[in-house]
Amino acid sequence: MEGGVSTMSFEEKLNDWQRRTAAATDKRPERKSEFLNHSDIPIQRLYTSQDSVQSEEDYLQRLGFPGEYPYTRGIQPTMYRTRYWTMRQYAGFGSAEETNTRFRYLLEQGQTGLSTAFDLPTQIGYDADHPMSVGEVGKVGVSISSIVDMDTLLNQIPLDRVSTSMTINAPASVLLAMYLVVAERQGVPWQKVSGTIQNDILKEYVARGTYIFPPKPSMRLITDIFDFCAREVPNWNTISISGYHIREAGSTAVQEVAFTLANAIAYVEAATKAGLQIDNFAPRLSFFFNAHNDFFEEIAKFRAARRMWAKIMKERFGAKNPRSLQLRFHTQTAGSTLTAQQPDNNVVRVTVQAMAAVLGGTQSLHTNSRDEALALPTEASARLALRTQQILAHESGLTDTIDPLGGSYYVEALTDALEAKAWQYIEYIDGLGGAVEAITEGYMQQEIHRAAYDTQQAIERGQQVVVGVNQFTTAREPEPELLRVDPQLGRKQTESLAKLRSERPVEPHRRALAKLKETAEGTGNLMPVVIDAVRAYATIGEICDVLRDVFGEYRPSVF
């Protein structure tokens, strides 16, 4: 000490703290011998500036300013100080009429965008009267078989003012075509239509299973949509590259980022190989991530993904348009964390997850309802989930400054660690020949299965606490009120389809499907002929059956 000022270096002071102050508590052992997050990243006892940004040059290279490369701190210069995220609650059940009523109710309650859930028959390209649809019509989403259903679904929804997301993949071109035809009927130019189709078939092969066609024709459908929308529907997000379902299948946060970005690389490569210019389609690529329980890991995950995508687009693909470098993403809270036991606990889980999404810089958000581990949400549960977002936006102060956790020693160190582990996965997938090859070999599937197994083992051993499930349980729980789908809906939809088929003009319908088959057998863009088929009242099943005849159906290997 000289003149009362310590001459010890920072590192010496840190070591001194470890020896004296921290060691004084060592007689009371910490809760674990080693702290690891779900991605097996060690969590240190303390983080300091030595674990984070070291200099102004380091700051500019790794973080930058909001709205500037590498977008670690957000893609918008002022983020939520200018505009809140889009509050886009996922909804859809039963008939088009019932879902339309829920849509309009949520908009009246302050929701700012629509997000559509489709039932399983719709997702795999079957009409409601197909034998494969029995017992599934309207169960996990809305039943849509034809333009008549889509007209009803969007009744009184102004498509020039409301943005709509549709969780649809294998038959995405058909649902997009239906949406555009409804816009035509409303008198809304396609240039004013905005929204998103998920359209991410690779993650279906990996994690979700609602595929129809083999990878090669599926990729053709996707790049046809990229090309068509770049010219005709410029405000439409042509794909939502989804880590959400990868995470729901059991992946770690690192795997969610790595596998999602690997799939995105495959889509960009397919599009450029098809002759599309990178900066013509890349600005309309969007992403869809999960918000899980580990608060800080999730925030770091979003920041790492944003930085990695900017580097991929700039350095790997040579994109010039700044918008091509920006990872825009929707977030949904984690359905896999919801519990049937003590369902009110899910409100707390969802709030924590939603806060992580907001602090991570999401562009839109869905908050799950408390009863979704048991059934589709009731109106009251859906309203409470929306209110959760509104309270975060308007009452919490989270939105008053940009990237409030930027510069946190812990968050920055965790962002770097997540990114480093994600790059290792991407480099390995590149070595296999890319995402399609990695999926074909079962690599991604096996990695996810292993992570899911490890998590389940940790829960069953009690090493990972799930409140109300393996600790803090109650003997008897009240039965919550649940939403029930009309069991007669399948019969009603079958009758509606029979009426449509008997009344539609025969010759335009026949010609439209013949043209679709001819185009599918050739190399032309499929979107215009799918739209013509929809205009001729062809059903989703009829259109997909034509494509099945030409492309075949995908049969997964057993790994």
Side-chain angles (χ1 to χ4, degrees), residues 152-165:
T152 303
L153 179 70
L154 300 172
N155 181 40
Q156 299 181 56
I157 306 293
L159 299 189
D160 55 344
R161 299 199 301 276
V162 174
S163 168
T164 304
S165 172

Side-chain angles (χ1 to χ4, degrees), residues 13 68 84 123 133 148 248 265 298 311-312 373 376 404 407 458 461 490 492:
K13 287 183 177 181
E68 293 184 358
Y84 295 121
Q123 291 182 49
S133 302
V148 174
E248 288 292 282
I265 288 167
E298 294 304 293
K311 290 178 182 177
I312 288 166
L376 292 169
R461 293 190 196 106
K492 293 174 183 176

Side-chain angles (χ1 to χ4, degrees), residues 204-249:
E204 296 296 322
Y205 303 129
V206 174
R208 193 160 177 266
T210 62
Y211 41 71
I212 302 175
F213 316 113
K216 187 173 180 180
S218 293
M219 295 295 271
R220 174 190 170 183
L221 284 164
I222 289 168
T223 56
D224 280 358
I225 291 169
F226 288 178
D227 183 38
F228 177 82
C229 288
R231 292 181 284 106
E232 303 289 345
V233 199
N235 292 317
W236 193 267
N237 297 322
T238 51
I239 194 168
S240 177
I241 306 161
S242 176
Y244 182 85
H245 305 96
I246 289 170
R247 192 66 177 280
E248 288 292 282

Side-chain angles (χ1 to χ4, degrees), residues 258-405:
F259 297 166
T260 303
L261 296 186
N263 287 346
I265 288 167
Y267 292 127
V268 173
E269 288 176 342
T272 55
K273 188 176 180 180
L276 278 63
Q277 297 299 309
I278 186 80
D279 286 320
N280 287 346
F281 70 88
R284 299 317 303 179
L285 304 180
S286 65
F287 290 80
F288 176 23
F289 287 115
N290 201 305
H292 231 258
N293 276 339
D294 191 322
F295 184 69
F296 292 106
E297 182 179 40
E298 294 304 293
I299 294 166
K301 177 189 76 179
F302 299 131
R303 301 171 92 252
R306 203 158 39 231
R307 185 160 70 201
M308 291 175 71
W309 184 242
K311 290 178 182 177
I312 288 166
M313 295 304 285
K314 183 177 182 178
E315 298 172 11
R316 184 164 182 157
F317 292 107
K320 306 294 186 213
N321 185 343
R323 292 177 61 240
S324 299
L325 313 180
Q326 296 173 356
L327 184 143
R328 297 172 300 114
F329 67 97
H330 170 72
T331 308
Q332 181 172 337
T333 57
S336 60
T337 67
L338 303 181
T339 62
Q341 301 92 330
Q342 302 178 26
D344 284 350
N345 294 348
N346 295 327
V347 177
V348 183
R349 293 185 178 101
V350 166
T351 303
V352 171
Q353 294 162 7
M355 287 176 65
V358 171
L359 291 170
T362 192
Q363 276 61 68
S364 68
L365 177 61
H366 163 90
T367 34
N368 288 331
S369 299
R370 60 186 169 188
D371 49 6
E372 287 188 52
L374 296 161
L376 292 169
T378 63
E379 190 173 274
S381 294
R383 181 178 63 245
L384 179 59
L386 175 60
R387 293 289 182 259
T388 302
Q389 294 202 48
Q390 292 165 333
I391 289 169
L392 292 181
H394 297 283
E395 297 185 23
S396 70
L398 291 178
T399 61
D400 291 347
T401 190
I402 306 162
D403 188 28
L405 289 181

